[in-house]
Amino acid sequence: MTDDETELLRFRSTLRHFPSGVAVVTVAHGTDVHGMTASSFTSVSLDPRLCSVSVNKPGRMHKLLKQTDGRYGISVLHDGQGSIADFFARRPWSTESGAAMAWVDGCPVLAGALVWLVCEKWAEYEGGDHTIFVGRVLDHGATANPDPSPLVHHNSAYHRLGLPMAATDRSGGEA
């Protein structure tokens, strides 16, 4: 193993300790829906409403986002949707996930997701071996569940959130 490969693995191992929500990016391609579990999704701006997702350059989703008419969906998953996250993480060329899709203005999002967003490509930026796609949010919504629980990815495994901390537990401590 080269020094560069060793450093890449060490960096990846370090980043495993950052917990994050799990999102799936979806795009219509003809009559098919393609999806990709995204390890890097975030809100960028409230005005205008912008979100970003980083997509690996050699991947199918990268090619589709480059070719798309500009619209794509982002679905943030709840803690009962781990199998959907696994499917789209492990089968990037497949279109038959078995997951129900909702169509909003001609754009596919995962039915029953914790949060869904319909985005239109606003900008894209080179980011090493990824491209950072920034999308303007055209429409959005959240689950009607009064007590939603997100699917959380941490240390290469899915987790459920624990109990909320009391306000007094959050004050203090050093970084």
Side-chain angles (χ1 to χ4, degrees):
M1 188 177 294
T2 68
D3 288 345
D4 285 345
E5 291 169 328
T6 300
E7 183 57 26
L8 178 79
L9 290 174
R10 192 170 83 83
F11 186 55
R12 177 181 274 177
S13 179
T14 296
L15 295 178
R16 291 175 19 169
H17 297 285
F18 177 69
S20 65
V22 180
V24 171
V25 180
T26 48
V27 64
H29 183 68
T31 59
D32 294 330
V33 174
H34 292 270
M36 178 201 81
T37 300
S39 60
S40 179
F41 159 75
T42 189
S43 62
V44 173
S45 169
L46 293 176
D47 188 16
R49 295 177 306 208
L50 301 174
C51 290
S52 72
V53 62
S54 289
V55 180
N56 194 5
K57 286 182 183 175
R60 176 147 174 91
M61 184 57 71
H62 187 271
K63 180 180 176 183
L64 291 171
L65 285 174
K66 285 282 205 181
Q67 295 173 347
T68 185
D69 64 359
R71 288 190 179 202
Y72 58 94
I74 298 175
S75 303
V76 178
L77 305 184
H78 64 70
D79 63 1
Q81 293 178 309
S83 62
I84 294 171
D86 278 343
F87 178 87
F88 286 117
R90 291 183 169 79
R91 295 175 188 88
W93 295 94
S94 183
T95 60
E96 297 299 323
S97 70
M101 292 289 162
W103 290 82
V104 180
D105 296 326
C107 185
V109 294
L110 286 161
L114 190 67
V115 170
W116 59 266
L117 304 120
V118 173
C119 298
E120 180 177 60
K121 239 186 331 184
W122 187 74
E124 56 186 77
Y125 302 97
E126 293 300 309
D129 58 2
H130 283 60
T131 297
I132 303 159
F133 291 94
V134 178
R136 183 173 63 91
V137 177
L138 303 175
D139 202 354
H140 56 90
T143 181
N145 181 343
D147 191 26
S149 186
L151 182 63
V152 177
H153 192 260
H154 174 253
N155 205 14
S156 299
Y158 297 125
H159 299 269
R160 288 185 171 89
L161 287 181
L163 297 173
M165 295 173 62
T168 57
D169 294 339
R170 298 186 305 227
S171 62
E174 293 182 28

